[in-house]
């Protein structure tokens, strides 16, 4: 029986791309263990998008439907940049799980800083992956790009009071954070240069022209226009899980239907309970 691997975007989304990993074949060591019916350990690390629990739980639940022999853990930190996670305490957290695959999900906070220094950003990602690899030989990495966010932009000003009580007030509006595209490109370029898989959700969900507005117009973003509602995070988790499975079956570009390698449709399971926080 065939199993659909395409959870659709809302109809309001524009300029979307095929949901698939870039260089998913670099996860071959993990896929080999799956094909051999061995247990694999997957860990996702990241910023507040991961810390909020909903995205990683949706990802873990989706992956478990396709890969029953899987242990999934995650750890996120509010406001974290990738460089925070190459410090010793964070490396210790990752190593303690002995992962076969580490999913690295940063970029939103980097995009809210100054214009990204791609060389420095690449050095950060290299240090992070090197330090994990040194203590977890054979580990594979899968990076994800930030999905998109907004920043406040001044639109005008007005004054109140007079004399010493005179005050200037500014009016603002939310506009797409264009630096997200730079951060996403930096992550993709790093992964291509170092033969690591990447899930470019920013491009998949509409890219520079549409990604940020797609999420907001569909009612999937929080009011801060940085974080997402549960429906948005759940959709992202499902899409990432499906992209990983497409890479496993090797059918990322062969259409929305594929045949299971083991010949059966995934069974519905009880709610995912093996996710461990810290």
């Amino acid at each position: 029986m065939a199993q659909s691997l395409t959870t659709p975007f809302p109809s309001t989304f524009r300029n979307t791309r095929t949901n698939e990993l870039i260089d998913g074949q670099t996860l071959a060591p993990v896929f080999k263990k799956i094909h051999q019916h061995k247990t694999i350990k997957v860990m996702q690390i990241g910023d507040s998008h991961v810390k909020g629990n909903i995205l990683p739980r949706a990802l873990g639940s989706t992956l478990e439907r396709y890969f029953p022999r899987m242990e999934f853990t995650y750890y996120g930190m509010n406001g974290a940049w990738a460089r925070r996670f190459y410090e010793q305490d964070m490396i210790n957290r990752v190593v303690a799980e002995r992962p076969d695959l580490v999913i690295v999900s940063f970029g939103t906070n980097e995009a809210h800083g100054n214009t990204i220094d791609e060389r420095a950003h690449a050095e950060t990602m290299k240090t992070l992956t090197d330090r994990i690899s040194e203590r977890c030989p054979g580990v594979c990495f899968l990076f994800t790009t930030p999905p998109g966010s907004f920043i406040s932009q001044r639109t005008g000003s007005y004054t109140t009071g007079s004399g010493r009580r005179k005050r200037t007030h500014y009016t603002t509006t939310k506009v797409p954070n264009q630096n997200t595209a730079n951060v996403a490109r930096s992550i993709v370029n790093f992964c291509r240069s170092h033969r690591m898989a990447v899930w470019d959700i920013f491009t998949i969900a509409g890219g520079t022209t549409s990604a940020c507005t797609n999420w907001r117009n569909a009612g999937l973003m929080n009011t801060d226009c940085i974080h997402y509602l549960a429906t948005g995070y759940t959709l992202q988790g499902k899409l990432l899980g499906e992209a990983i499975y497409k890479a496993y079956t090797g059918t990322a570009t062969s259409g929305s239907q594929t045949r299971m390698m083991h010949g059966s449709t995934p069974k519905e399971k009880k709610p995912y309970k093996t996710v461990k926080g810290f």
Side-chain angles (χ1 to χ4, degrees), residues 117-128:
D117 181 337
E118 188 164 334
R119 178 176 295 182
H121 191 210
E123 290 176 355
T124 293
M125 292 184 282
K126 184 70 163 56
T127 300
L128 173 63

Side-chain angles (χ1 to χ4, degrees), residues 40-44 63 70-73 99-101 103:
I40 60 166
K41 295 186 177 183
V42 179
M43 185 176 191
Q44 185 178 25
L63 288 176
M70 183 199 69
E71 296 178 8
F72 184 83
T73 60
D100 298 290
L101 171 62
I103 301 174

Side-chain angles (χ1 to χ4, degrees), residues 88-195:
Q88 197 60 48
D89 60 330
M90 292 300 164
I91 297 298
N92 289 342
R93 286 185 183 274
V94 175
V95 172
E97 297 301 323
R98 295 177 297 148
D100 298 290
L101 171 62
V102 177
I103 301 174
V104 184
S105 301
F106 296 99
T108 293
N109 295 302
E110 285 88 337
H112 279 262
N114 296 322
T115 301
I116 191 76
D117 181 337
E118 188 164 334
R119 178 176 295 182
H121 191 210
E123 290 176 355
T124 293
M125 292 184 282
K126 184 70 163 56
T127 300
L128 173 63
T129 53
D130 281 351
R131 290 183 178 179
I132 294 174
S133 296
E134 287 171 2
R135 297 178 59 186
C136 296
V139 68
C140 291
F141 294 94
L142 166 58
F143 280 74
T144 69
T145 64
S149 60
F150 287 73
I151 56 175
S152 296
Q153 186 177 83
R154 288 182 182 179
T155 57
S157 65
Y158 63 94
T159 58
T160 58
S162 60
R164 293 183 177 180
R165 294 187 176 182
K166 186 176 181 179
R167 297 287 184 272
T168 300
H169 306 271
Y170 297 96
T171 57
T172 63
T173 188
K174 296 286 188 181
V175 298
N177 184 358
Q178 298 299 334
N179 203 28
T180 305
N182 299 327
V183 174
R185 183 182 64 249
S186 177
I187 293 171
V188 171
N189 288 343
F190 170 81
C191 291
R192 283 176 166 161
S193 297
H194 294 83
R195 289 192 52 75

Side-chain angles (χ1 to χ4, degrees), residues 28-29 75 83 136 174 181 201 223 230 256 258:
Y75 184 70
R83 66 191 182 206
C136 296
K174 296 286 188 181
I201 181 57
T223 54
S256 63
T258 187

